[in-house]
Amino acid sequence: MKITIDEELCCASGLCTVKAGEVFDQRDEDGIAVLLAEAPAAEHHDAVREAAAVCPAAAIHIME
Ligand code: SF4
């Protein structure tokens, strides 16, 4: 699995950090999501898929 975040789309909702805090964080200055792991370990895959599903901006893209 490889993840990218479209910063232009991200509206800084923070939901991804709630769903998968080991993989997503938010920039202090504007709340835009940043990746802690572009290719997360298998144990985080379900949480990452859930984060992508709930992202209100559809800003999280997953390549399986
Ligand atoms: S859930 Fe989506 S819109 Fe919200 S911070 Fe994460 S990437 Fe940005």
Side-chain angles (χ1 to χ4, degrees):
M1 171 184 281
K2 199 153 183 271
I3 314 167
T4 57
I5 295 173
D6 188 330
E7 292 187 7
E8 298 294 318
L9 293 177
C10 175
C11 61
S13 71
L15 284 177
C16 55
T17 64
V18 174
K19 292 292 182 183
E22 299 86 354
V23 178
F24 300 96
D25 198 357
Q26 288 177 276
R27 291 198 300 234
D28 289 338
E29 59 268 35
D30 55 12
I32 298 298
V34 293
L35 285 171
L36 301 175
E38 287 183 15
E43 69 202 74
H44 300 308
H45 287 188
D46 284 347
V48 169
R49 291 188 193 101
E50 210 175 321
V54 300
C55 173
I60 301 170
H61 302 287
I62 299 173
M63 287 154 282
E64 298 279 359

